[in-house]
Amino acid sequence: MSRQVVFGTGQVGRHVVEHLVRDGHDVVAVNRTGTGDLPGARVVAGDASDSNFTERVCSGADVVYFCLNAPSYDRWSEQFPPLQHGVLAGAASAGARLVVLDNLYAYGPPHGRDLVETMAPAPTSDKSATRATMTEELLLAHARGHAEIVIGRASDYFGPGTTHSALGESVFGPALAGRTAQVMGDPRQLHSYSYTPDVAAALVNLATAADVTGQIWHLPVAPAQTTTALIDHIFALTGHRPRTFTAGRLTLAAFGLVKPIMREYQHTLYQFTDRWVVDDAKYRARFGGATPLHDGLAATLAWYREDALAPTG
């Protein structure tokens, strides 16, 4: 048994905590409120940007996981880096391996190419530039010996407990209710989606494997399909006829007049208007592949049936 500290108990962090508890580790889960139903783990409240706090909570840790997100998406560039600074300080003080959950923003538009770890960052917005700078900071800290760091990158999430995602409550809830699913961009394009239990398991693998640190790893994804095909499959599982509403740039701008957060999605809309295919060959060759898409979709739908509130009326 080793001591593992997980910062963030959201859509992926919760799965990491549950995985580690099942493996018999001493697990500390850190979030802003100190609340959460995570049997077997000790849940601690704190500000991850406060290095004094992170150094205390990481004391004695063998592995530290960074699964946090900024509280406000419209203040992402301002709020996100201090969280990483704080967790990095905590892991470094403990001499623990730091496993960082990352996304794919830093690459910018791939212009039809598959996304691979060797692609140079080409950010086109404040959010993607922020992620690129944060990755650079981590790799530099590793190179300088401040901490042992490994980065795992995932695409858009789906999975049990995943509601705030392009393939989340705006698709599964309407499918169960026989209503219209809502997506962004062009759902006819191939798109890689990451199943959150796979993401969590992959981060745990990277936490102990040899010769993986100082690197970026694309976490496992099933072969890409179009979002339309996935929605059709989800609706077929419910017995309802698929119906989809697609929001493009003008629609997001219009919605943004009422709900300002919607304007923020325009910065990375290229992920949904263009082909978005992740190459996970590096991870797959070392650790194995992802859960088949149809199995993951069925498990996610089962969670929505049992635990989520589907739209009514």
Side-chain angles (χ1 to χ4, degrees):
M1 182 176 69
S2 64
R3 189 161 192 261
Q4 316 250 329
V5 179
V6 182
F7 284 87
T9 59
Q11 299 186 132
V12 172
R14 169 175 294 276
H15 288 290
V16 173
V17 170
E18 292 171 349
H19 196 296
L20 293 171
V21 169
R22 287 196 302 269
D23 287 348
H25 295 290
D26 172 20
V27 183
V28 178
V30 184
N31 59 31
R32 297 181 185 93
T33 64
T35 60
D37 182 20
L38 293 166
R42 180 164 62 94
V43 184
V44 175
D47 177 4
S49 67
D50 179 355
S51 59
N52 290 323
F53 165 72
T54 61
E55 289 174 7
R56 289 196 305 272
V57 79
C58 290
S59 178
D62 298 286
V63 181
V64 174
Y65 297 83
F66 182 82
C67 298
L68 292 168
N69 208 341
S72 304
Y73 194 59
D74 57 345
R75 298 178 60 196
W76 218 66
S77 301
E78 170 191 341
Q79 295 176 341
F80 212 172
L83 297 174
Q84 179 171 287
H85 298 160
V87 176
L88 175 56
S93 69
R97 178 176 293 191
L98 176 59
V99 182
V100 177
L101 174 61
D102 195 358
N103 63 19
L104 304 167
Y105 283 12
Y107 296 125
H111 303 294
R113 298 172 295 167
D114 287 0
L115 297 163
V116 296
E117 292 94 338
T118 55
M119 290 176 69
T124 56
S125 68
D126 286 344
K127 288 180 175 59
S128 55
T130 297
R131 261 307 195 185
T133 300
M134 290 171 68
T135 298
E136 182 181 9
E137 175 190 60
L138 291 169
L139 295 176
L140 184 60
H142 177 86
R144 290 178 173 174
H146 297 325
E148 188 180 56
I149 300 170
V150 59
I151 300 169
R153 285 182 171 166
S155 192
D156 299 282
Y157 300 143
F158 76 100
T162 300
T163 55
H164 301 297
S165 171
L167 200 62
E169 62 187 359
S170 65
V171 172
F172 285 92
L176 282 170
R179 300 182 66 181
T180 302
Q182 299 179 31
V183 296
M184 294 184 293
D186 181 358
R188 299 165 299 178
Q189 296 284 348
L190 290 175
H191 194 98
S192 294
Y193 288 95
S194 295
Y195 183 49
T196 48
D198 286 346
V199 173
L203 294 176
V204 173
N205 284 339
L206 293 175
T208 56
D211 304 321
V212 299
T213 57
Q215 301 177 48
I216 296 166
W217 294 77
H218 284 172
L219 304 181
V221 288
Q225 296 187 27
T226 67
T227 301
T228 295
L230 298 183
I231 291 174
D232 286 350
H233 183 73
I234 294 165
F235 272 79
L237 291 174
T238 69
H240 295 298
R241 180 175 62 84
R243 292 187 293 174
T244 306
F245 172 79
T246 302
R249 192 171 299 279
L250 292 178
T251 303
L252 290 174
F255 285 170
L257 296 175
V258 178
K259 192 175 181 181
I261 191 66
M262 299 300 292
R263 292 197 298 264
E264 299 297 315
Y265 297 132
Q266 297 183 66
H267 299 298
T268 53
L269 187 60
Y270 58 82
Q271 295 182 6
F272 298 96
T273 57
D274 302 344
R275 182 180 184 275
W276 191 254
V277 177
V278 176
D279 184 335
D280 68 346
K282 176 180 170 183
Y283 182 94
R284 190 167 8 97
R286 177 74 182 273
F287 300 102
T291 298
L293 268 174
H294 290 178
D295 292 346
L297 294 172
T300 304
L301 187 63
W303 179 85
Y304 271 87
R305 277 199 178 103
E306 295 172 5
D307 297 291
L309 292 175
T312 58

